[in-house]
């Protein structure tokens, strides 16, 4: 074997790309002539011919003038023998011209291996005027409202027109909706459309009680003169959800059992009352006068939460002494503790009809340790932590440098992570949420760490983790999640994964039984120092 060929093989194996491809992948586009600044679609068909399922697909475009507006949701997992058609929505450049673009595709299998080598090139002509685009025999017009309120039912109208003389046979018509949107009814799809005729298909859509925005895509497969063709149109839509304007009946329907966390106006249990000699009751009418003006222009619970969070940060000075658990009294103070910030935030969110609660550590006696706020939006809980300046999803919080210490207390220190669920205000009234935080922890951490990584390094990370036991893997992922993105990529790129694994395992053995620091990034600095 020649030296150059041998080096090429080494590069292929080092990048995690094996020789035998595990899938048959085809690429196509719905049009080769696009209006400047307009959209077109890249359609990728993936046939899993390998031995394991796929859980993801990443497509890139090698020309920065073209922007991917929306990637498809991968039907995870794509099992062996299954096939899927994925559609990417792409924005063309504003400058007319003839462009050649390359589109590499990477597949991720259930073992978190990355498969490369899938590539195609297209030539796209970008024109200034719409009239310069060559018309097809079948044209499609899709009408979608630009904005809809959550919980409403609305229509998507698809009009198909045969501008030719030959009958067009309609095959499959599919509508790719955003997460949460559901088709509840549709009119009949015609088998044929004759020359010069048009036909309307009306879809009745149920909007979710949450904020979501993006493109709805309609795909029509049809046959013209015996040739199979495809027409694709995408339209932008935004669903807004403003629970502060909703009535109780709507809120119960929207939130289900989570409505409890709106209805219960008490924030913490009787133990807090004994400690701080005050009542943790959220007077909605008072608090709403402060919260509602802040959130009137918000389109979701998350946007509203960010505005209330920012208001509290700028309106108060923070100290260490908790004087009260009464949110109305906290509201009037100039200086508050981090715990009081959490109580005030939670109370204000309840006042605008968002499920919210206090979550804290409980050691069997004390339940005021490390209080946080949680609020519910779009089917998941979000965490607010004033002490560490964090607001985001629960999974994002798990990947911060501040959760590993909590994890250690939950798994080694006989602590529980509890949501305050006070009703009688007699002693401890909690709901244990620790299992929800710890469920599938490794996968949650892996997802967050991979967001930081250059795609070329994902396989290297997997190979390293495969050399560890589960406790070592979680420890390593905590460290990597705590690391600055640039430094993490530099380390994994520069050093052998086996060397990093040995250093990581040694760190774990030394620190596993010691109290972990509140800021876990300290251990990243120790690991980084090994390679300085």
């Amino acid at each position: 074997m020649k030296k150059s060929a041998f080096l090429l093989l080494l590069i292929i194996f080092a990048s995690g790309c094996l020789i035998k491809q595990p899938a048959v992948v085809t690429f196509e586009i719905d049009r080769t002539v696009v209006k400047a600044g307009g959209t077109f679609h890249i359609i990728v068909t993936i046939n899993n011919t390998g031995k394991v399922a796929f859980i993801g697909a990443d497509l890139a475009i090698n020309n920065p003038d073209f922007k991917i507006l929306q990637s498809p949701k991968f039907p995870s997992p794509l099992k062996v023998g299954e096939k899927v058609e994925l559609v990417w929505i792409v924005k063309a450049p504003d400058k007319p011209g003839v462009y050649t673009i390359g589109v590499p595709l990477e597949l991720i299998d259930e073992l978190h291996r990355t498969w490369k080598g899938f590539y195609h090139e297209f030539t796209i002509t970008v024109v200034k005027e719409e009239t310069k685009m060559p018309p097809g025999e079948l044209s499609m017009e899709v009408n979608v409202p630009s904005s809809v309120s959550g919980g409403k039912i609305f229509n998507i109208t698809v009009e198909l027109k045969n501008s030719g003389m030959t009958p067009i046979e309609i095959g499959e018509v599919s509508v790719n909706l955003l997460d949460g949107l559901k088709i509840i009814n549709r009119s009949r799809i015609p088998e044929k459309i004759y020359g010069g005729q048009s036909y309307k298909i009306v879809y009745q859509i149920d909007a979710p009680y949450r904020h979501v925005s993006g493109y709805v895509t309609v795909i029509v497969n049809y046959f013209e003169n015996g040739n199979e063709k495809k027409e694709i149109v995408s339209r932008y839509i935004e669903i807004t959800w403003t629970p502060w304007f909703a009535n109780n009946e709507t809120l119960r329907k929207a939130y289900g059992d989570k409505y409890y966390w709106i209805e219960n106006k008490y924030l913490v249990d009787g133990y807090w009352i004994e400690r701080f000699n005050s009542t943790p009751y959220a007077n909605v009418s008072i608090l709403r006068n402060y919260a509602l003006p802040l959130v009137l222009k918000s389109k979701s619970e998350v946007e509203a939460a960010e505005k209330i969070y920012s208001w509290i940060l700028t309106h108060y000075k923070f100290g260490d002494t908790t004087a009260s658990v009464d949110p109305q009294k906290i509201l009037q103070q100039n200086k508050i503790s981090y715990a009081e910030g959490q109580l005030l935030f939670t109370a204000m969110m309840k006042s605008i009809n968002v499920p919210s609660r206090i979550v804290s550590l409980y050691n069997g006696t004390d339940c005021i340790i490390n209080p946080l706020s949680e609020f519910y939006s779009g089917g998941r809980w979000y965490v607010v932590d004033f002490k560490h300046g964090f607001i985001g999803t629960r999974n994002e919080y798990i990947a911060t440098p501040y959760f590993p210490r909590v994890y250690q207390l939950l798994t080694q220190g006989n602590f529980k992570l509890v949501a305050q669920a006070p009703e009688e205000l007699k002693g401890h009234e909690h709901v244990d949420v620790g299992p929800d935080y710890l469920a599938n922890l490794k996968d949650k951490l892996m997802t967050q760490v991979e967001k930081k990584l250059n795609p070329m390094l994902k396989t290297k990370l997997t190979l390293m983790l495969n050399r560890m036991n589960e406790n070592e893997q979680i420890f390593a992922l905590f460290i990597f999640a705590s690391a600055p993105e640039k430094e993490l990529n530099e380390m994994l790129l520069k050093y052998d994964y086996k060397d990093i694994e040995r250093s990581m395992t040694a760190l774990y053995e030394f620190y596993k039984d010691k109290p972990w620091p509140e800021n876990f990034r300290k251990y990243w600095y120790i690991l980084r120092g090994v390679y300085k």
Side-chain angles (χ1 to χ4, degrees):
M1 181 183 296
K2 292 183 179 180
K3 185 176 180 181
S4 59
F6 179 72
L7 288 174
L8 178 60
L9 284 174
L10 282 179
I11 292 171
I12 292 173
F13 280 110
S15 66
C17 180
L18 306 183
I19 299 299
K20 186 177 183 300
Q21 296 288 23
V24 175
V25 178
T26 58
F27 299 80
E28 59 180 315
I29 53 175
D30 64 328
R31 62 191 63 194
T32 57
V33 180
V34 187
K35 182 182 177 181
T39 60
F40 66 99
H41 302 84
I42 298 176
I43 307 102
V44 179
T45 303
I46 303 168
N47 185 2
N48 188 346
T49 57
K51 297 181 179 180
V52 296
F54 291 114
I55 60 172
D58 293 325
L59 182 114
I61 300 177
N62 65 2
N63 188 325
D65 293 330
F66 290 79
K67 306 295 183 184
I68 295 177
L69 297 179
Q70 186 166 293
S71 298
K73 182 178 180 181
F74 195 85
S76 181
L78 182 67
K79 298 178 181 178
V80 175
E82 292 182 342
K83 181 190 290 188
V84 67
E85 183 179 86
L86 302 176
V87 178
W88 277 261
I89 303 172
V90 183
K91 181 178 183 295
D94 294 326
K95 182 179 179 181
V98 178
Y99 299 81
T100 298
I101 60 171
V103 286
L105 179 82
E106 295 181 356
L107 295 176
I108 300 95
D109 68 22
E110 59 186 346
L111 301 178
H112 292 276
R113 297 179 299 185
T114 300
W115 298 82
K116 306 174 188 292
F118 305 105
Y119 180 83
H120 197 83
E121 287 189 350
F122 298 103
T123 299
I124 306 289
T125 301
V126 178
V127 296
K128 186 175 182 180
E129 299 295 336
E130 189 99 33
T131 54
K132 293 183 180 179
M133 299 171 61
E137 294 297 310
L138 180 72
S139 61
M140 176 167 58
E141 182 60 39
V142 178
N143 292 314
V144 178
S146 59
S147 181
V148 175
S149 298
K152 301 297 183 182
I153 294 174
F154 66 97
N155 290 339
I156 293 176
T157 303
V158 179
E159 184 174 5
L160 304 175
K161 183 176 181 180
N162 183 351
S163 58
M165 299 300 295
T166 306
I168 290 175
E169 182 180 345
I170 303 299
E172 183 181 5
V173 179
S174 58
V175 179
N176 294 345
L177 298 173
L178 299 170
D179 280 348
L181 274 68
K182 296 179 181 178
I183 298 174
I184 56 176
N185 196 13
R186 68 163 173 79
S187 57
R188 187 180 69 86
I189 296 175
E191 294 181 359
K192 288 185 179 180
I193 300 178
Y194 293 92
Q197 293 186 344
S198 61
Y199 193 95
K200 285 186 179 181
I201 308 169
V202 179
Y203 292 84
Q204 203 171 42
I205 310 295
D206 190 7
Y209 292 101
R210 69 178 190 224
H211 178 258
V212 58
S213 61
Y215 289 85
V216 169
T217 301
V218 180
I219 306 171
V220 177
N221 292 284
Y222 65 97
F223 294 88
E224 183 183 299
N225 295 321
N227 298 317
E228 185 174 3
K229 296 185 177 182
K230 192 187 307 284
E231 184 72 13
I232 305 177
V233 172
S234 294
R235 293 288 182 264
Y236 185 83
I237 187 172
E238 182 175 36
I239 310 299
T240 61
W241 171 230
T242 54
W244 39 93
F245 295 132
N247 59 36
N248 287 337
E249 182 182 351
T250 300
L251 292 169
R252 288 180 186 275
K253 185 178 179 181
Y255 292 118
D257 61 351
K258 304 300 187 298
Y259 178 75
Y260 168 83
W261 303 101
I262 302 173
E263 189 177 38
N264 184 358
K265 299 301 186 289
Y266 290 109
L267 303 176
V268 288
D269 63 19
Y271 180 81
W272 290 65
I273 295 175
E274 293 177 10
R275 286 289 300 269
F276 300 106
N277 193 30
S278 54
T279 303
Y281 178 74
N283 188 319
V284 170
S285 60
I286 293 175
L287 293 162
R288 188 175 174 86
N289 288 333
Y290 288 86
L292 189 58
L294 298 174
V295 306
L296 280 177
K297 295 183 180 180
S298 301
K299 298 178 180 179
S300 69
E301 304 102 325
V302 175
E303 192 174 339
E306 289 171 344
K307 290 179 179 178
I308 292 174
Y309 172 77
S310 297
W311 182 82
I312 292 174
L313 279 179
T314 56
H315 199 73
Y316 297 95
K317 293 181 180 180
F318 282 83
D320 297 324
T321 303
T322 299
S324 176
V325 294
D326 183 339
Q328 289 71 235
K329 290 183 179 178
I330 296 171
L331 194 62
Q332 303 304 321
Q333 296 170 192
N334 294 319
K335 187 175 183 180
I336 62 176
S337 68
Y338 292 113
E340 288 173 321
Q342 305 296 166
L343 290 162
L344 181 57
F345 173 86
T346 303
M348 292 180 76
M349 291 295 284
K350 283 178 180 288
S351 78
I352 59 167
N353 300 332
V354 178
S356 307
R357 62 194 186 184
I358 294 291
V359 172
S360 59
L361 283 168
Y362 175 50
N363 64 6
T365 303
D366 189 349
C367 64
I368 66 172
I369 306 166
N370 193 42
L372 305 168
S373 302
E374 282 193 332
F375 69 91
Y376 192 77
S377 174
R380 57 184 175 177
W381 289 98
Y382 286 69
V383 174
V384 173
D385 180 355
F386 280 95
K387 185 176 182 180
H388 298 113
F390 176 85
I391 180 170
T393 67
R394 184 187 279 174
N395 286 0
E396 290 169 341
Y397 178 73
I398 285 170
T400 67
Y402 315 111
F403 182 74
R405 175 60 179 161
V406 175
Y407 167 81
Q408 188 186 41
L409 292 173
L410 296 180
T411 55
Q412 298 180 23
N414 296 318
F415 279 69
K416 290 183 178 180
L417 191 63
V418 297
Q420 297 285 320
E423 293 181 358
E424 298 181 357
L425 300 182
K426 296 179 180 178
H428 293 291
E429 296 177 279
H430 306 147
V431 176
D432 188 359
V433 296
D436 296 332
Y437 274 74
L438 300 183
N440 303 314
L441 179 64
K442 189 170 68 174
D443 290 338
K444 293 173 183 175
L445 288 169
M446 190 74 170
T447 299
Q448 297 301 319
V449 170
E450 286 186 341
K451 290 179 181 179
K452 291 183 171 186
L453 285 182
N454 182 316
M456 294 176 58
L457 299 173
K458 292 180 181 179
T459 300
K460 196 172 183 180
L461 173 65
T462 302
L463 291 171
M464 187 198 76
L465 293 174
N466 286 342
R467 296 168 59 89
M468 302 176 175
N469 64 41
E470 185 163 355
N471 288 332
E472 292 166 345
Q473 290 173 344
I474 290 173
F475 182 84
L477 288 169
F478 275 142
I479 289 182
F480 289 151
S482 301
E485 182 175 327
K486 182 179 178 181
E487 294 180 9
L488 176 61
N489 281 276
E490 287 175 350
M491 176 178 285
L492 288 176
L493 181 64
K494 188 174 181 179
Y495 297 103
D496 186 274
Y497 70 88
K498 295 178 183 178
D499 291 337
I500 301 174
E501 178 270 328
R502 283 190 286 268
S503 299
M504 190 73 76
T505 302
L507 277 177
Y508 173 74
E509 287 299 320
F510 186 79
Y511 288 109
K512 65 179 181 180
D513 296 324
K514 293 180 171 58
W516 291 353
E518 182 178 333
N519 188 336
F520 208 68
R521 186 167 285 184
K522 174 181 177 180
Y523 287 173
W524 165 257
Y525 294 141
I526 294 172
L527 177 67
R528 188 187 64 181
V530 173
Y531 296 93
K532 287 279 185 175

